[in-house]
Amino acid sequence: MVTDVAAPRVRSRGAVLLLVTAIVVVALNQRPAVVAVAPLLGELRADTGLSSALAGLLTALPVLCFGAFAPLAPRLARRIGLETAVAASLVLLAAGIALRLLPPVALLYAGSLVAGAAIAIANVLMPAYVKREFTRPGAVMGAYSASLNVGAAAAAGLTVPIGAALGAEWRVALASWLVLAVAALALWLPVAGVRGTRTTPPEASSWSLLRQPLARQVTAYLGLQSVQFYSFAAWLPTLLADAGVPVREGGLLLAASNVTGALGALLIPAAAGRMAAQRPLVVGVLAAYAVGLGGLLLAPASGTLLWVAVFGVAQGGGFALALTLIVLRSPSPLVAARLGGVAQCLGYLVASTGPVVLGALHDATSGWTWPLVLLIALLAPMVWAGWGAARDAVLDPAGTRTASRED
């Protein structure tokens, strides 16, 4: 259920630990279905004959689904219960990953679509679930956000070695992440359960929140941050390969960026929860983006580990901050789910264009200079959006005004 009035349950320390573990394992599943494609793009394109733009679409499709299906998540949770909706998302994710095993290229895209829809549901509902179940959600949001990065790092660094160890083609390597989805479902069901009462939909539409500048700024910050992450995840191994870095090392460097991202994701939500306004964190994140992207633009084959590590801190901390802002700017779990649905719908629809545009721009210019220049230019509107979203304010649930704690 998603409700404004439900209070956090009283649990023993062991029960809290089990619940946090379940949240972490669910989070681990929310990036591999997307990130695992990037290290395999060369082999995939050689086998299927896909162009750079179509290969970019394969990576972008789940992100497009994150946006398209995000508004359905709060409705699904109200109908069948929040816990049940998360369990259903894990079943869908397993089905989407399994579809990628089948030979037709169309089913490769279909599996990406199903997996993207599944992740969209969990993306929206997990922060709302954390807000409902924990009186101080900052530390748990940090663990959740860090786990997103760990899952992405594992997919980036292990997908190719798993395929090699199994002596299997790229399809089997992609489908190997099915094991993690099944494990998450097996843990979630006994710990969180599928219980939950139905509640009636709120009178105000989720989209009415966008009448408030604060909601629009949170949405814009999430979307622009996600453009950076998914564009980087889709094309970094290829960019580095074109600069002379071996393909296997490119996947490992992508994994390294997600490992450093996990550190930023772990620390920033806890820090954000102790601050009335999170603007210093926004400035720090944007500075790290500028250093990482600038380094890749000027010297992609020199100091590469430093550039991807700094970018990793930026993307991990930036995305964790975006999710935490959804929680902090919302007065209740229900509003957090509504804002999450709207922000992720529009934000991920924008983000889904990133890999495709960068792939097309690379094909048009035969290089990575202009794609990187574009990502750097997008930092300017991200500063504006983050600065507004990080102010000390909360949303009005009716969607008509911003209830600000600032004078």
Side-chain angles (χ1 to χ4, degrees):
M1 67 185 159
V2 179
T3 172
D4 282 342
V5 297
R9 302 170 192 170
V10 177
R11 291 185 173 92
S12 66
R13 181 171 298 181
V16 170
L17 181 60
L18 282 174
L19 181 58
V20 173
T21 301
I23 291 169
V24 164
V25 177
V26 171
L28 289 174
N29 278 274
Q30 292 181 43
R31 294 298 176 266
V34 181
V35 177
V37 175
L40 298 169
L41 275 180
E43 184 181 352
L44 186 154
R45 290 181 60 195
D47 185 35
T48 62
L50 292 177
S51 66
S52 294
L54 286 176
L57 178 61
L58 183 62
T59 302
L61 186 58
V63 188
L64 184 64
C65 292
F66 292 176
F69 290 94
L72 301 180
R75 301 178 191 175
L76 180 65
R78 285 194 298 269
R79 181 175 295 274
I80 66 175
L82 200 157
E83 295 91 342
T84 308
V86 172
S89 76
L90 293 171
V91 173
L92 278 177
L93 178 60
I97 294 173
L99 276 176
R100 289 171 159 179
L101 274 170
L102 303 178
V105 173
L107 290 183
L108 180 63
Y109 284 88
S112 297
L113 188 151
V114 173
I119 297 170
I121 295 170
N123 276 342
V124 172
L125 297 184
M126 291 305 292
Y129 181 78
V130 170
K131 184 174 181 67
R132 192 192 73 182
E133 296 297 318
F134 297 91
T135 54
R136 295 183 177 180
V140 181
M141 282 301 300
Y144 170 78
S145 302
S147 300
L148 296 176
N149 284 87
V150 172
L158 297 179
T159 300
V160 172
I162 286 173
L166 295 175
E169 62 169 358
W170 59 268
R171 290 184 186 275
V172 175
L174 271 182
S176 65
W177 296 102
L178 176 63
V179 175
L180 185 60
V182 173
L185 181 63
L187 181 60
W188 181 261
L189 289 175
V191 174
V194 292
R195 56 193 177 277
T197 59
R198 298 183 183 185
T199 61
T200 58
E203 293 182 1
S205 165
S206 296
W207 294 102
S208 66
L209 292 174
L210 291 178
R211 297 171 186 167
Q212 304 173 65
L214 180 58
R216 296 196 295 271
Q217 289 160 341
V218 170
T219 299
Y221 179 73
L222 174 65
L224 291 167
Q225 192 280 331
S226 297
V227 168
Q228 299 284 345
F229 172 75
Y230 288 105
S231 299
F232 189 83
W235 291 114
L236 178 67
T238 306
L239 182 156
L240 295 178
D242 289 350
V245 177
V247 173
R248 182 180 294 270
E249 289 185 22
L252 292 175
L253 286 165
L254 180 58
S257 76
N258 283 285
V259 170
T260 60
L263 178 61
L266 184 64
L267 297 177
I268 280 187
R274 294 192 296 267
M275 304 167 71
Q278 294 74 34
R279 285 170 169 172
L281 299 178
V282 171
V283 173
V285 165
L286 269 294
Y289 269 125
V291 171
L293 289 172
L296 287 172
L297 175 63
L298 298 175
S302 177
T304 310
L305 180 59
L306 175 61
W307 310 138
V308 299
V310 173
F311 186 94
V313 172
Q315 64 87 11
F319 184 67
L321 181 58
L323 293 181
T324 304
L325 289 175
I326 290 174
V327 172
L328 295 178
R329 300 289 86 92
S330 301
S332 68
L334 176 55
V335 176
R338 291 169 57 202
L339 177 60
V342 169
Q344 294 190 45
C345 174
L346 297 180
Y348 283 130
L349 287 176
V350 171
S352 68
T353 65
V356 179
V357 170
L358 258 67
L361 192 55
H362 169 263
D363 285 350
T365 62
S366 300
W368 292 104
T369 297
W370 285 108
L372 286 171
V373 168
L374 176 60
L375 291 180
I376 292 172
L378 289 176
L379 296 179
M382 196 190 306
V383 172
W384 165 82
W387 193 258
R391 70 184 185 271
D392 182 17
V394 293
L395 291 167
D396 169 30
T400 58
R401 60 183 177 82
T402 299
S404 177
R405 291 187 286 267
E406 287 186 331
D407 294 328

